[in-house]
Amino acid sequence: MARRYSGICLSLVVPLATACQHLIPEPISGVSSGAMLKIRDTPLTNLTENEAILSNAFDAIEIETWSSYYTHGDHIAGRNKSMAQWTADKFTGYGIPASLAEYEVLLNYPVSASVSLNYPDGSKYDAQLFEDPVAEDETTTYPDSIPAFHGYSATGNATAEYIYVGKGHVDDFKRLLQLGVDLKGKIALAMYGGPFRGVKVKNAQANGMVGAILFTDPITDSTQDGASYPDGPARHPSSLQRGSVLDLTKYTGDPTTPGYPSKPGAKRTDGHEVLPQIPSLPISYRDATLLLQALDGYGVSGKDVSRDGWVGALNATYSTGPAPNTTISISNIMSSSITPIWNAIGIINGTHADETIIVGNHRDAWIIGGAGDPNSGTAVLVELSKAFGELLKTGWKPRRNIVLCSWDAEEYGLVGSTEWVEEYAPWLSETAISYINVDIAVAGPKPGAASSPELRTVAQDIMTKVKYPKGDFKTLYDAWYALYRFRLDDHGFGNLGSGSDYTAFLQLGIGALDFSMQGSRGDPVYHYHSNYDSYHWMTKYGDKDFVSHTAAGQFLTLLTYHLADDALIPFDLDAMQKGVEQWLRNFLILVNSFSDLEKLQRDINFSGLHNAQKNFTQAATDFTAWTNQEGFRSNDTAVSLANKKLRDFQRAFINPEGLPGRSFYKNVGYAPDVNDGYSAQTLPGPTEALRNGEDRVAARAQVEITIACILKAVEILKVG
Ligand SMILES: *[C@@H]1O[C@H](CO)[C@@H](O)[C@H](O)[C@H]1NC(C)=O
Ligand SMILES: *[C@@H]1O[C@H](CO)[C@@H](O)[C@H](O)[C@H]1NC(C)=O
Ligand SMILES: *[C@@H]1O[C@H](CO)[C@@H](O)[C@H](O)[C@H]1NC(C)=O
Ligand SMILES: *[C@@H]1O[C@H](CO)[C@@H](O)[C@H](O)[C@H]1NC(C)=O
Ligand SMILES: *[C@@H]1O[C@H](CO)[C@@H](O)[C@H](O)[C@H]1NC(C)=O
Ligand SMILES: *[C@@H]1O[C@H](CO)[C@@H](O)[C@H](O)[C@H]1NC(C)=O
Ligand SMILES: *[C@@H]1O[C@H](CO)[C@@H](O)[C@H](O)[C@H]1NC(C)=O
Ligand SMILES: *[C@@H]1O[C@H](CO)[C@@H](O)[C@H](O)[C@H]1NC(C)=O
Ligand SMILES: *[C@@H]1O[C@H](CO)[C@@H](O)[C@H](O)[C@H]1NC(C)=O
Ligand SMILES: [Zn+2]
């Protein structure tokens, strides 16, 4: 379900994980620097001996070999144990002992499906629920190609008139109700983009709708110019987006074992909280055009609905409908079972057994290919294991444990990583320093990342050590600078919401970073979750020479190396402190929007929150002053004490109760926005309590919980 990092939204202010999925702004040229980011248009920062060994181990030709391996066989979740074993064997072969961690989880696979448009005159049109085979793109012609379907979708049939519901955001439905459009008993036709697809389907169901059809609109593409794939960079008209329709805003992982690992014999729930009850299917824009056109002239026209992003690029008015007696028939037959999945886990023991860095990528894809999502990351992870193998050969041993994870079943709902985190939660809570995630390593040339604040400075420093392979930039840092120089608050790093495997870690109080290189406006269209996310697309349009793969891999490797081996863990507590300040700032925008602000302030005393934030700032400042003291780094006792504090303060932000109504989400700083699924909501407890009506008692309780967590972090960081 990897969130797609799309270059369409051009906001320079909103963090990268937003409603428009990943934000990668356009490079800005000809504007002089005035930002906090400092241009360093210098040659590469010199590498230390170990850094050079790691960096030089990267070989684009070899990465291409791994990419080719992963993208020529069915590896949908739970269906390719030999690929899992192959991955573990690679780690082991490079000197990193690895084995498979197996779980038994609920998955479903497509059996048969149809979508037809029935015109009032009795004629009908059947949507094509697979992509056109393209001769030059071998894997699109495989007989075992995976058809259009949604992971965890409900088995069912429906025939009904249908309504175009925009992107299926809760506000789109509000607008439809306001316009008097009757939704009950109808089928929803929704555009991809904006909220996570599971949220769209949930909203349709909550409005009494009986099925959902989701289409990709070219309006959200990085380019609509030129020929379409395979002859040019534009989208193939038959491409469609598979993906999970789990409601991940409630919890992730196996729907039937919330909060505990899916081991054989585990007790199971029916998963009804997160599984949809209405059938849904994805279709292409070629087919969506006909469905939209049949609504033209009926209901309210797209122009009059007057919502941002409602009208797309197809030849239709994007009217709401319904068109009387024009119906859609959906049939969706899925086969569900409890199925084994396999994570491949490799471990390098550090000299400090109580400190651990985890690096992970998922391996499963919706299609035979998956050259971008996720196997650009998988190819990079294998090469990363090779690089550490080279360093191990010199007799090097890291200070901290390094765990390499190749996850299964991410696409269905972060299943492999969530179950593993649930199994090892006690050990992770005791020892984890950070989790580094790479899902789509490469789908284009522009770097992007979301992270916990403490990791941002070290990540930028590492970027100065990585050669940028494309354009005029010398280093990855220079490319980053061009994209994000005006992002003063966060230096271009968005906050983590959900959509990939960092989620369970973050919700256990383990800071994380998620890195990706993707396209933005003008770059070739990346066919997300489509058969055309193939090895052939990657070698023709995405990253011909695998040089971006190399850069992404070198970045992740050097970052892992420093987190695992620097004497003092390279966290930036000043950045963390600014992060906490941002939590409060975002929350106060909401508070100040209340018309009865004075009464609200009597109902809820916010000054405790201010005080806690100020105390955190003080603790962070004192801590940094302490570690910058003359002689600090030569005092092993002090360094070791500081590292324990840096490891443990993150856990203070965990509220064991979790959010009301979604107890899986325990981090008081960050949860996925409940109406979006991908983007981050800061201070979710108090924010959601205030937003969801007038329950100020609940809001006050959430404010108190947040204060207590921040002060616990202060206690842990406190020097002396
Ligand atoms: C980097 O290495 C080069 C060549 O070895 C050397 O001339 C230069 O001074 C070094 N730069 C720094 C900043 O250490
Ligand atoms: C598993 O993946 C490998 C590598 O892509 C492929 O060769 C093999 O056919 C796949 N196995 C199955 C059962 O699909
Ligand atoms: C758009 O659709 C209308 C009818 O719905 C048709 O007359 C027109 O030719 C179409 N335009 C294009 C560019 O296909
Ligand atoms: C829709 O069909 C019904 C019967 O099938 C018919 O009575 C009705 O007039 C039709 N409505 C329109 C607007 O064509
Ligand atoms: C659902 O539709 C399919 C295809 O039209 C049909 O074969 C099947 O019998 C239907 N199932 C039910 C329960 O109506
Ligand atoms: C790593 O450490 C664990 C726990 O102490 C131990 O069980 C394991 O054998 C060690 N692995 C290696 C390769 O030394
Ligand atoms: C609000 O709380 C602060 C301490 O957190 C306290 O000093 C102050 O008196 C309280 N204000 C009211 C009106 O209760
Ligand atoms: C916050 O810091 C102030 C000033 O150092 C101190 O007086 C106060 O006790 C601290 N509050 C808490 C709850 O730690
Ligand atoms: C080293 O650090 C420890 C812990 O902060 C401190 O107690 C000790 O006095 C320091 N030793 C020296 C020689 O500064
Ligand atoms: Zn993915």
Side-chain angles (χ1 to χ4, degrees):
M1 83 168 52
R3 161 162 36 87
R4 180 176 159 213
Y5 290 44
S6 149
I8 310 315
C9 307
L10 300 181
S11 167
L12 293 171
V13 218
V14 191
L16 130 169
T18 70
C20 50
Q21 304 175 342
H22 226 64
L23 284 178
I24 300 189
E26 302 304 303
I28 297 156
S29 52
V31 185
S32 70
S33 160
M36 281 158 69
L37 275 177
K38 220 170 78 204
I39 185 67
R40 291 189 258 192
D41 192 17
T42 55
L44 285 181
T45 302
N46 289 352
L47 300 186
T48 65
E49 205 175 314
N50 283 354
E51 287 173 343
I53 290 170
L54 291 168
S55 202
N56 295 339
F58 274 78
D59 175 359
I61 306 273
E62 209 144 55
I63 296 174
E64 179 166 0
T65 310
W66 314 145
S67 168
S68 172
Y69 166 75
Y70 283 112
T71 55
H72 286 80
D74 180 354
H75 52 302
I76 199 165
R79 281 220 295 233
N80 200 326
K81 188 177 184 181
S82 78
M83 184 185 277
Q85 190 60 54
W86 188 93
T87 306
D89 291 348
K90 274 273 169 272
F91 295 166
T92 305
Y94 290 129
I96 302 169
S99 57
L100 299 188
E102 180 172 314
Y103 300 93
E104 293 183 358
V105 304
L106 179 75
L107 295 179
N108 65 3
Y109 301 113
V111 176
S112 71
S114 64
V115 169
S116 56
L117 169 59
N118 312 304
Y119 293 99
D121 67 2
S123 65
K124 92 182 182 135
Y125 174 82
D126 290 319
Q128 178 180 307
L129 299 180
F130 57 89
E131 285 108 336
D132 296 354
V134 165
E136 70 182 68
D137 185 344
E138 190 196 350
T139 57
T140 66
T141 68
Y142 276 21
D144 61 345
S145 276
I146 297 151
F149 82 107
H150 282 149
Y152 289 135
S153 67
T155 287
N157 285 3
T159 295
E161 290 177 350
Y162 61 102
I163 308 287
Y164 172 57
V165 299
K167 293 191 171 124
H169 192 274
V170 72
D171 293 339
D172 291 326
F173 285 99
K174 274 192 197 144
R175 178 70 180 141
L176 287 166
L177 293 176
Q178 187 187 43
L179 292 167
V181 178
D182 185 17
L183 302 169
K184 280 227 163 48
K186 305 280 198 293
I187 288 170
L189 174 64
M191 189 198 282
Y192 273 120
F196 176 65
R197 70 185 84 64
V199 172
K200 299 173 196 275
V201 174
K202 172 177 73 170
N203 291 342
Q205 181 180 313
N207 280 281
M209 304 186 86
V210 295
I213 304 291
L214 274 47
F215 70 97
T216 303
D217 196 295
I219 193 100
T220 57
D221 284 341
S222 52
T223 183
Q224 295 178 50
D225 300 336
S228 42
Y229 182 75
D231 303 319
R235 177 177 297 281
H236 193 292
S238 76
S239 84
L240 43 84
Q241 187 192 125
R242 294 159 191 75
S244 172
V245 287
L246 185 82
D247 179 12
L248 65 80
T249 67
K250 276 264 172 24
Y251 61 88
T252 69
D254 180 354
T256 70
T257 61
Y260 53 94
S262 301
K263 293 307 229 181
K267 72 171 168 24
R268 294 183 185 269
T269 69
D270 65 5
H272 72 273
E273 273 189 300
V274 290
L275 296 170
Q277 267 109 59
I278 60 172
S280 67
L281 282 162
I283 61 169
S284 67
Y285 81 72
R286 192 167 67 191
D287 285 343
T289 304
L290 293 171
L291 270 62
L292 288 165
Q293 283 175 344
L295 300 181
D296 279 354
Y298 297 103
V300 181
S301 79
K303 191 162 102 334
D304 295 334
V305 172
S306 181
R307 265 185 66 71
D308 239 21
W310 186 275
V311 174
L314 300 172
N315 182 18
T317 57
Y318 291 81
S319 297
T320 61
N325 292 0
T326 302
T327 61
I328 290 178
S329 298
I330 309 182
S331 161
N332 187 50
I333 316 282
M334 302 288 296
S335 141
S336 280
S337 60
I338 304 291
T339 306
I341 59 165
W342 309 277
N343 299 328
I345 309 286
I347 304 188
I348 309 174
N349 282 341
T351 52
H352 300 193
D354 58 353
E355 294 173 356
T356 303
I357 311 298
I358 307 102
V359 188
N361 156 261
H362 74 94
R363 196 180 57 250
D364 63 304
W366 288 120
I367 56 240
I368 301 289
D373 184 5
N375 301 119
S376 54
T378 322
V380 156
L381 184 67
V382 170
E383 199 69 357
L384 176 149
S385 76
K386 186 182 100 184
F388 277 106
E390 291 295 318
L391 193 53
L392 288 168
K393 279 190 208 156
T394 68
W396 170 83
K397 191 172 184 190
R399 282 190 164 77
R400 309 187 176 93
N401 309 315
I402 302 175
V403 182
L404 307 187
C405 307
S406 169
W407 310 117
D408 201 354
E410 184 267 2
E411 290 292 0
Y412 277 80
L414 323 178
V415 179
S417 59
T418 303
E419 298 311 315
W420 189 81
V421 168
E422 286 171 354
E423 180 170 12
Y424 294 104
W427 175 67
L428 290 168
S429 293
E430 264 176 41
T431 74
I433 305 293
S434 303
Y435 172 68
I436 305 301
N437 192 61
V438 58
D439 186 326
I440 303 174
V442 180
K446 315 242 164 57
S451 83
S452 311
E454 75 280 359
L455 290 166
R456 292 172 184 170
T457 301
V458 62
Q460 277 184 65
D461 287 346
I462 302 295
M463 288 180 203
T464 69
K465 302 182 186 217
V466 176
K467 203 152 101 192
Y468 185 74
K470 300 201 169 150
D472 297 333
F473 305 117
K474 292 191 182 69
T475 67
L476 192 57
Y477 180 86
D478 295 342
W480 186 270
Y481 174 85
L483 290 164
Y484 305 113
R485 62 208 277 192
F486 296 113
R487 289 268 293 267
L488 304 188
D489 279 352
D490 61 6
H491 291 195
F493 293 83
N495 292 328
L496 293 164
S498 188
S500 195
D501 290 308
Y502 53 79
T503 307
F505 290 91
L506 192 63
Q507 298 307 326
L508 196 63
I510 300 166
L513 180 138
D514 181 43
F515 179 80
S516 180
M517 293 176 80
Q518 304 214 3
S520 65
R521 189 171 295 165
D523 292 319
V525 170
Y526 171 60
H527 295 74
Y528 175 65
H529 288 185
S530 152
N531 259 345
Y532 307 123
D533 177 8
S534 60
Y535 179 75
H536 185 71
W537 179 86
M538 190 59 81
T539 53
K540 190 165 180 180
Y541 294 104
D543 188 21
K544 293 183 182 65
D545 306 318
F546 286 76
V547 288
S548 291
H549 283 71
T550 301
Q554 288 169 328
F555 167 74
L556 292 162
T557 301
L558 294 179
L559 179 60
T560 303
Y561 167 73
H562 280 277
L563 287 168
D565 210 38
D566 285 4
L568 179 66
I569 296 165
F571 282 177
D572 182 348
L573 283 188
D574 184 53
M576 186 66 220
Q577 169 275 114
K578 289 202 177 76
V580 174
E581 199 185 356
Q582 186 205 35
W583 301 354
L584 198 69
R585 203 164 52 238
N586 291 348
F587 181 58
L588 291 177
I589 292 171
L590 172 67
V591 168
N592 288 324
S593 73
F594 275 71
S595 52
D596 65 338
L597 181 57
E598 279 177 25
K599 174 164 187 311
L600 178 62
Q601 283 170 327
R602 283 195 303 276
D603 292 343
I604 304 172
N605 184 347
F606 295 106
S607 62
L609 204 49
H610 282 279
N611 292 341
Q613 179 257 319
K614 284 198 200 106
N615 285 25
F616 186 81
T617 297
Q618 189 61 50
T621 308
D622 292 348
F623 188 94
T624 305
W626 174 47
T627 56
N628 283 340
Q629 262 170 28
E630 188 90 21
F632 172 85
R633 279 166 197 256
S634 54
N635 180 341
D636 289 346
T637 314
V639 169
S640 146
L641 179 64
N643 284 339
K644 287 196 180 3
K645 289 174 180 292
L646 290 172
R647 179 191 64 192
D648 294 341
F649 88 91
Q650 316 172 56
R651 251 70 92 198
F653 295 118
I654 291 306
N655 164 25
E657 305 284 303
L659 293 173
R662 43 183 195 144
S663 61
F664 176 83
Y665 290 101
K666 296 179 162 51
N667 191 315
V668 299
Y670 307 98
D673 180 307
V674 73
N675 291 325
D676 184 80
Y678 291 119
S679 63
Q681 174 60 62
T682 51
L683 288 194
T687 303
E688 285 174 11
L690 264 194
R691 227 183 243 154
N692 299 345
E694 293 299 295
D695 188 354
R696 295 191 176 176
V697 177
R700 192 182 321 149
Q702 289 298 317
V703 167
E704 291 308 321
I705 288 168
T706 306
I707 293 171
C709 288
I710 297 174
L711 291 178
K712 206 162 136 200
V714 169
E715 263 328 291
I716 292 170
L717 287 177
K718 211 168 243 170
V719 177

